[in-house]
Amino acid sequence: MPPKAKASPKASPAQPTPAVPIEDLFTSLHRHVRDFEYEQAAKVADQVLAVAPGDEDALRCKVVALIKSDAIEMALSTIQGSRHLPVDLKFYEAYCLYRQNKLYEAMKLLDGQERNSVILQLESQILYRLGKMEACMDSYEKIQRFKIDSLDLKANIIAALVAAGRSAEVQGTMEALKVKAASSFELAYNYACSLIEKKKYAEAEQQLLSARRIGQEMLMEEDYADDEIESELAPIAVQLAYAHQLQGRTQEAIEAYTAILNRNPSDYPSLAVATNNLVSLRGTKDVSDSLRRLDRLIEKGSGGKQFQLANGLDFKLSSRQKESLYSNRLLLLLQANKMDQAQELVAVLPDMFPDSVMPVLLQAALHVREKKVAKAEEVLIQYANKFPEKSMPVLLARAQIAAAAGHYQISTESLLKVRDIQHMAATVATLVSLQERMGDYNGAAAVLDSAIQWWKNAMTEENKLDLIIHEAANFKLNHGREDEASQLYEKLVKSHGNIEALVGLVMTAARTDLEKAELYEKQLKQLSGLKGLNVENLEKTSGAKHVEGPQIVKVEVSEDVKKAKSKKRKRKPRYPKGFDPANPGPPPDPERWLPKRERSSYRPKRKDKRSQIRGSQGAVVREKHDALTPATTASSTNGPTSKPSQGSTAASKGGSQKPAAASERPKASGKSKKKSRS
């Protein structure tokens, strides 16, 4: 019988671990928060909630600790799992949605909340990311009533002002906030951006250099590592390169952008902006490399999105920056003739940027590239009719496309729809030129008359009335409207006394009203040197007579020039080596430059007839045949000969043929090089 198995000893019942007092847990929680140990703080908060479920302080500490440790998804799930508790966590939920770029959902949660300083700060940041700058500034103005003394808040206010296009107010706002640009590198950077918006590029460059210096000093004092400092200051480096670009220092800007990309800092928004600006500077040069750089930033989307930006850039870039990236990629695809990819991208741009006109302009550019000009014109006019408040750039693009295609009527109609620029000199000149090409001279004259009437009533510093009147007078004079042209010239003469207008008036009135021409002709100043001329006798002459032969012109030379010429030193003639000018010897042969056959001393050589063979003719032929026979036999006994190449055949046809020049390049090698590049 097998032995019985020994019974295993019974385990003693587990003793319950002594519970940690909740006061000690809160003490530990406070210590972790104070030391910025947020992951440990979240774990301790869980222990507190296990002892005291629903504790409001522990729940808030856990949510904040998860947010601080960038565990946004866990924080959001914790909030959603505690909806049954009587704890208001809508602010934290809205902040988590803001971090996930769910901006409209976040704004919806803030509705109905009391507008305290914390809520207003989150609201202003959401509005800033949405690009609603005026509403953002309204929130910041409400925040200022709380008199919060925070450099970060003040830097955000300045950034919002610049983004809202109110850079002119930055200086006054900084004085009201009692803050200077040197207070922090963020403020210095934002102030430099305001200078760029005001086109003070040199001052902006100096301010950016100051911001970089302040930032390096501040971050080094806070014990930041070198790579962290470089990442924090990357936006300043990119903005410096942008300042160079705006000043026309293109090569410096390209080198700066390239250096930033080579360093590859961990600040992805700065890398994206540097890439985009470098691509824009290159233009149509090296399209393939530019496309590769942008393709690293734009990738296929997920969750119903066809495209998205890499490295979370959708949450970090403004709407205008993202639009610039996608637009540049589409333009490069058109340059590379990748129409399928361009059509795929242009189809989704209207949904990605619904408030922008750029998608419809890019769609028209695609149609033009496909040689569908009529389709491009149709797309643009439909958009202009649907959104009249945004129609100006669309109508201008339609006018340009139509004019380039020779559709002058469509181009004219598009320009006439843009009321705000009808009176501008460039618009007037373009409309007149287009209508002249169509032969509509009455329409061109009407455009000029309308512009004159507008500038008469305009109250502007730079009034273009005189310029428009002068061009209108020239136009009407050239098209046979002398009376109208004369009236316009007369207005110019009476208002400003313009000499050009006076000349035009005399010329025009001479055709229609001779008395008026004579009256105004008296106002013309006489040219110097014409007083002694008798005009009547000059008219009776047959004109200037042409004198044949050389004309002797006496030129008066000053005494100084004569003395300078007389003082010139004469150089001694240089003789060949061993030549004695005192005994030159016999003179050289005057016929030495002629060929020998043409010289008088030439005598041809006589032929030697003594070597001629006397005898019958057959004897000579037989001797030649005997001499050639051994050579032919020798060549045939060496075996079959190879077929000569084309080169050897060409050389055997004549011994005097020259070889091909060494500088000529074979075409085949050129083709192989092109293939290797692709």
Side-chain angles (χ1 to χ4, degrees):
M1 294 179 64
K4 294 182 179 180
K6 295 181 179 180
S8 58
K10 294 182 179 180
S12 60
Q15 299 295 327
T17 58
V20 180
I22 194 168
E23 292 82 2
D24 294 344
L25 289 175
F26 271 108
T27 301
S28 177
L29 179 60
H30 175 71
R31 184 178 67 254
H32 289 309
V33 172
R34 182 191 62 196
D35 297 338
F36 307 105
E37 298 171 347
Y38 297 116
E39 294 181 1
Q40 297 298 325
K43 293 178 181 179
V44 175
D46 278 334
Q47 295 178 16
V48 175
L49 291 172
V51 176
D55 187 274
E56 182 175 351
D57 293 334
L59 185 58
R60 289 181 184 276
C61 284
K62 180 183 178 181
V63 171
V64 172
L66 290 173
I67 291 174
K68 289 286 188 179
S69 58
D70 290 333
I72 304 299
E73 193 64 38
M74 292 179 63
L76 196 57
S77 61
T78 301
I79 294 169
Q80 293 171 351
S82 60
R83 293 188 189 279
H84 62 284
L85 299 174
V87 182
D88 186 10
L89 299 174
K90 286 186 178 180
F91 169 76
Y92 300 105
E93 186 177 1
Y95 182 79
C96 290
L97 293 172
Y98 162 75
R99 290 286 299 273
Q100 292 181 335
N101 211 39
K102 298 177 181 179
L103 304 178
Y104 290 102
E105 296 179 33
M107 282 294 295
K108 189 175 181 181
L109 278 175
L110 292 180
D111 290 341
Q113 296 286 316
E114 182 184 357
R115 287 300 187 263
N116 55 29
S117 62
V118 179
I119 296 292
L120 285 171
Q121 287 188 60
L122 178 58
E123 181 185 64
S124 60
Q125 293 193 29
I126 293 172
L127 292 170
Y128 183 89
R129 188 169 288 184
L130 286 171
K132 298 180 179 180
M133 296 306 167
E134 292 300 328
C136 175
M137 283 307 306
D138 291 340
S139 296
Y140 276 127
E141 288 174 0
K142 295 175 183 177
I143 293 173
Q144 293 181 45
R145 300 172 188 170
F146 293 92
K147 298 182 179 180
I148 302 173
D149 190 12
S150 169
L151 279 177
D152 292 338
L153 176 61
K154 294 174 182 178
N156 289 346
I157 293 173
I158 301 304
L161 274 175
V162 176
R166 295 162 60 178
S167 296
E169 304 176 25
V170 167
Q171 187 65 42
T173 304
M174 291 178 66
E175 293 175 359
L177 295 173
K178 298 180 180 180
V179 69
K180 295 182 180 180
S183 301
S184 69
F185 72 91
E186 293 95 343
L187 275 167
Y189 171 79
N190 291 341
Y191 181 62
C193 292
S194 72
L195 292 174
I196 288 177
E197 290 294 321
K198 292 190 288 186
K199 298 182 179 181
K200 297 181 179 180
Y201 304 131
E203 296 181 34
E205 182 180 357
Q206 295 302 317
Q207 193 64 44
L208 287 168
L209 293 172
S210 176
R212 185 173 64 183
R213 178 182 53 79
I214 296 170
Q216 288 173 345
E217 293 174 356
M218 292 178 62
L219 297 175
M220 288 176 68
E221 289 177 359
E222 297 177 10
D223 294 331
Y224 274 65
D226 290 342
D227 56 341
E228 293 175 332
I229 293 176
E230 184 178 8
S231 178
E232 288 288 332
L233 301 181
I236 299 177
V238 174
Q239 202 72 348
L240 265 173
Y242 183 57
H244 295 160
Q245 180 179 348
L246 293 176
Q247 293 179 79
R249 294 150 63 181
T250 304
Q251 190 57 38
E252 288 184 50
I254 290 176
E255 292 174 359
Y257 288 134
T258 306
I260 294 168
L261 296 175
N262 291 338
R263 289 196 300 268
N264 195 21
S266 58
D267 186 50
Y268 294 118
S270 297
L271 286 175
V273 174
T275 301
N276 182 74
N277 291 356
L278 179 62
V279 167
S280 68
L281 278 177
R282 284 181 172 181
T284 57
K285 295 179 181 178
D286 206 352
V287 173
S288 59
D289 180 70
S290 296
L291 266 178
R292 281 195 297 270
R293 290 180 182 273
L294 288 182
D295 286 342
R296 295 172 193 161
L297 303 175
I298 302 173
E299 58 188 18
K300 291 290 184 179
S302 58
K305 294 174 62 178
Q306 286 189 296
F307 295 96
Q308 67 181 19
L309 297 180
N311 303 317
L313 289 172
D314 282 315
F315 308 145
K316 300 173 183 177
L317 294 179
S318 67
S319 178
R320 188 173 65 175
Q321 290 171 331
K322 290 185 286 187
E323 181 184 350
S324 180
L325 282 172
Y326 284 109
S327 301
N328 284 340
R329 183 173 184 269
L330 180 58
L331 293 174
L332 289 173
L333 289 173
L334 294 179
Q335 289 292 332
N337 286 324
K338 296 183 178 182
M339 297 302 173
D340 295 338
Q341 297 182 41
Q343 290 172 351
E344 183 182 7
L345 180 57
V346 80
V348 299
L349 288 181
D351 296 331
M352 297 173 68
F353 308 103
D355 298 330
S356 174
V357 300
M358 187 58 69
V360 71
L361 296 177
L362 294 172
Q363 187 178 2
L366 176 61
H367 289 316
V368 172
R369 189 73 180 198
E370 294 174 335
K371 298 183 179 180
K372 299 177 182 178
V373 177
K375 182 66 175 175
E377 295 170 352
E378 181 183 356
V379 167
L380 292 172
I381 194 61
Q382 288 177 355
Y383 186 91
N385 293 334
K386 187 176 180 180
F387 303 100
E389 70 280 0
K390 298 185 288 187
S391 63
M392 180 186 290
V394 177
L395 290 171
L396 291 176
R398 183 172 183 255
Q400 182 179 1
I401 291 171
H407 304 163
Y408 303 127
Q409 184 64 38
I410 295 176
S411 181
T412 303
E413 292 174 358
S414 300
L415 284 176
L416 290 173
K417 288 178 181 289
V418 188
R419 298 292 181 186
D420 295 340
I421 61 171
Q422 289 291 299
H423 58 278
M424 295 178 66
T427 309
V428 173
T430 305
L431 284 170
V432 170
S433 176
L434 289 170
Q435 289 176 330
E436 274 188 304
R437 295 192 180 193
M438 292 188 297
D440 186 7
Y441 302 116
N442 293 331
V447 170
L448 290 166
D449 293 339
S450 175
I452 291 172
Q453 191 61 37
W454 191 94
W455 283 105
K456 280 182 179 178
N457 302 324
M459 302 294 293
T460 58
E461 294 181 1
E462 296 183 3
N463 199 300
K464 303 291 183 181
L465 179 60
D466 293 344
L467 175 63
I468 300 294
I469 290 178
H470 192 274
E471 295 300 325
N474 290 341
F475 173 83
K476 293 182 178 183
L477 178 61
N478 294 333
H479 292 84
R481 302 187 178 192
E482 288 86 359
D483 292 334
E484 298 178 27
S486 177
Q487 293 175 8
L488 293 174
Y489 280 130
E490 192 170 7
K491 288 180 181 179
L492 284 176
V493 171
K494 289 181 178 180
S495 60
H496 297 287
N498 192 336
I499 187 65
E500 295 182 2
L502 182 59
V503 172
L505 175 59
V506 173
M507 291 174 56
T508 309
R511 304 181 185 181
T512 57
D513 190 347
L514 191 57
E515 293 181 1
K516 182 188 289 187
E518 292 177 349
L519 176 65
Y520 282 103
E521 181 268 339
K522 296 177 181 178
Q523 299 182 19
L524 291 173
K525 296 181 180 179
Q526 292 186 356
L527 296 177
S528 59
L530 297 181
K531 293 182 178 180
L533 292 179
N534 190 329
V535 179
E536 295 181 357
N537 293 337
L538 188 62
E539 289 179 349
K540 294 178 181 179
T541 62
S542 59
K545 295 182 179 179
H546 175 68
V547 180
E548 296 183 358
Q551 303 296 315
I552 300 174
V553 181
K554 293 184 179 180
V555 181
E556 295 183 0
V557 182
S558 63
E559 294 296 331
D560 296 338
V561 176
K562 291 180 179 179
K563 290 180 180 179
K565 288 183 177 180
S566 62
K567 289 182 180 179
K568 286 185 178 179
R569 181 174 58 87
K570 293 184 178 181
R571 292 185 178 180
K572 294 181 179 180
R574 298 179 65 182
Y575 298 108
K577 188 176 181 180
F579 178 77
D580 185 8
N583 300 311
D589 185 6
E591 296 181 351
R592 63 187 182 279
W593 307 116
L594 297 176
K596 288 185 177 181
R597 291 179 178 273
E598 297 180 8
R599 298 180 188 177
S600 59
S601 60
Y602 174 73
R603 296 291 182 271
K605 294 182 179 180
R606 299 180 62 183
K607 293 183 179 180
D608 188 6
K609 297 182 179 180
R610 291 176 296 178
S611 61
Q612 293 182 359
I613 300 174
R614 304 294 181 179
S616 61
Q617 184 177 0
V620 177
V621 175
R622 187 166 47 250
E623 289 177 3
K624 288 183 179 180
H625 175 72
D626 294 342
L628 291 172
T629 300
T632 307
T633 305
S635 64
S636 61
T637 56
N638 289 333
T641 58
S642 62
K643 186 176 180 181
S645 65
Q646 292 181 358
S648 61
T649 304
S652 66
K653 287 181 180 179
S656 62
Q657 183 175 353
K658 295 182 180 179
S663 61
E664 185 178 355
R665 297 180 182 178
K667 294 182 181 179
S669 65
K671 291 181 180 178
S672 64
K673 286 182 180 179
K674 290 182 181 177
K675 290 181 180 178
S676 65
R677 289 177 185 171
S678 61

